[in-house]
Amino acid sequence: MTENKNNPLLCNPDTGICELPVTEIDTDYKGVYTKDKPLQLIYFTDPICSSCWGIEPQLRKLKLEYGDILDIEYHMGGLLPDWSYNSGGISKPSDVAHHWDEVSLYYDTPIDGDVWLEDPLSSSYPPSIAFKAAEIQNKDKAIAFLRILKEMVFLKKKNIAKWEYIAIAAEEAGLDILQLKTDFEGVGQKLFEADLQMARDYGVRGFPTIFIQNKSGEREMIYGTMPYSFFETAILNLNSEAVKEQYSKNHEALFSKYNSLTAREFSELSGISRNESEEYLNELTNRGILEKLMTKNGSLWIRKSSDKI
């Protein structure tokens, strides 16, 4: 792997971090939590952060087991403003392609780096602003929208900095596209700028960075793509009375909650081993229950369109 990790697009698989070239930060910043649920989870991420794509299984399980006690906020961090820099051996989009392929194998998560050869992104700001605009309409739909954007860029090799793909993702997520366009060009940009400032206030150095805090002001930080046990430990440290929800782990229930899953995600959520999960998902595909999107570095299984909720 490349040794210089100062370039944010060179995510370090060993630490699970896409690190920003941050200078001065304020590590003493204390956010105030005033929401109704016992705990708040603040997630700093970016639509093209490969390490954040690698943490999807843990986040999806967390929502199933502790969603009732967690108020979850997504904040965009601004991973790629533009290409006006040169660091870590990365000076142009094509330099990222091989790195993404390496990261895909490391995280056992399908990522096709060829997007950087075929239709490279000029910036991660447009999809980030679009997400903030989507949140104005509906936070749940915005999260679904973000997932669709990630599948587009990591698996389908689509340049999600282009409005045409943002609009397709918005329609699939059930958003009002005209309203999204208006907010994307207006208040969405201000909300994105507020996210960038919040990331600076919290001393965020890279992605994924997750803060979990309680109403007493105690806070735990999870930095990088860490195993699920780190999340559970942080929750119990902040709320010793926290009890995880039991959820149905069969494929019907899981694909009802999440319309698409990788084999690693299905394994994390179902408790079935990684290899058995892939075999089972392939069997469901052969039976016509699921659709399979294949890439050179892995697959994604999707509920049949007619069955989507």
Side-chain angles (χ1 to χ4, degrees):
M1 301 298 292
T2 306
E3 292 181 2
N4 188 330
K5 303 301 176 186
N6 290 329
N7 189 299
L9 289 174
L10 288 180
C11 303
N12 185 337
D14 293 327
T15 60
I17 299 164
C18 299
E19 191 168 10
L20 289 171
V22 176
T23 53
E24 295 183 7
I25 59 173
D26 178 10
T27 56
D28 295 324
Y29 179 79
K30 295 290 189 291
V32 178
Y33 178 41
T34 59
K35 301 292 180 66
D36 293 333
K37 294 185 178 181
L39 298 176
Q40 180 186 36
L41 186 149
I42 301 172
Y43 179 28
F44 291 98
T45 184
D46 188 276
I48 67 168
C49 165
S50 56
S51 290
C52 301
W53 180 235
I55 208 173
E56 286 280 292
Q58 294 92 309
L59 285 176
R60 287 185 149 190
K61 185 175 182 180
L62 194 71
K63 291 173 183 178
L64 290 174
E65 291 196 331
Y66 293 101
D68 286 348
I69 66 167
L70 281 173
D71 180 72
I72 300 175
E73 293 183 3
Y74 283 65
H75 295 281
M76 301 293 105
L79 188 63
L80 178 64
D82 52 46
W83 286 97
S84 63
Y85 63 85
N86 179 0
S87 63
I90 296 289
S91 60
K92 58 187 183 298
S94 60
D95 294 333
V96 185
H98 179 63
H99 173 71
W100 267 25
D101 290 338
E102 285 183 319
V103 170
S104 175
L105 295 174
Y106 190 92
Y107 289 138
D108 187 22
T109 297
I111 303 174
D112 191 335
D114 287 353
V115 65
W116 296 105
L117 303 175
E118 299 174 9
D119 192 7
L121 287 75
S122 58
S123 170
S124 67
Y125 279 26
S128 298
I129 295 169
F131 172 77
K132 301 309 296 183
E135 280 193 313
I136 297 171
Q137 293 188 39
N138 183 287
K139 289 190 179 295
D140 290 335
K141 288 182 179 180
I143 292 171
F145 171 61
L146 181 60
R147 170 72 184 209
I148 295 165
L149 287 173
K150 288 183 175 183
E151 291 180 3
M152 279 183 162
V153 70
F154 290 120
L155 285 83
K156 300 177 182 179
K157 301 183 291 183
K158 302 301 184 185
N159 182 343
I160 60 171
K162 294 180 176 178
W163 177 257
E164 62 182 286
Y165 295 119
I166 291 173
I168 291 171
E171 183 176 17
E172 187 173 338
L175 293 164
D176 182 323
I177 299 174
L178 292 177
Q179 185 62 49
L180 186 75
K181 181 70 169 176
T182 298
D183 293 333
F184 174 80
E185 295 173 346
V187 67
Q189 298 191 40
K190 289 181 169 44
L191 293 172
F192 175 56
E193 290 168 4
D195 272 8
L196 296 182
Q197 183 59 52
M198 185 176 179
R200 288 190 290 268
D201 290 340
Y202 268 82
V204 173
R205 298 174 180 270
F207 315 109
T209 295
I210 291 174
F211 295 96
I212 304 176
Q213 55 194 33
N214 59 25
K215 294 185 178 181
S216 298
E218 299 171 304
R219 189 170 77 189
E220 298 267 338
M221 182 178 76
I222 300 169
Y223 189 37
T225 307
M226 308 303 289
Y228 185 74
S229 60
F230 280 70
F231 293 86
E232 197 160 34
T233 297
I235 288 172
L236 293 174
N237 284 345
L238 294 167
N239 185 345
S240 60
E241 298 179 356
V243 178
K244 62 185 174 186
E245 291 287 318
Q246 299 300 315
Y247 64 91
S248 180
K249 298 182 179 180
N250 58 53
H251 76 267
E252 294 94 343
L254 294 179
F255 278 96
S256 176
K257 176 67 176 178
Y258 300 118
N259 282 328
S260 62
L261 293 165
T262 65
R264 184 166 159 256
E265 286 178 322
F266 187 79
S267 176
E268 183 81 58
L269 300 182
S270 68
I272 301 173
S273 74
R274 169 63 177 80
N275 290 338
E276 289 177 329
S277 289
E278 183 149 7
E279 292 176 2
Y280 184 57
L281 292 170
N282 283 331
E283 178 187 335
L284 293 174
T285 303
N286 293 335
R287 288 164 50 190
I289 297 172
L290 301 177
E291 297 174 356
K292 183 179 180 181
L293 172 63
M294 299 177 65
T295 77
K296 68 177 184 179
N297 291 326
S299 300
L300 181 76
W301 285 264
I302 308 156
R303 288 187 66 186
K304 288 281 191 176
S305 299
S306 60
D307 297 329
K308 287 183 179 180
I309 55 175

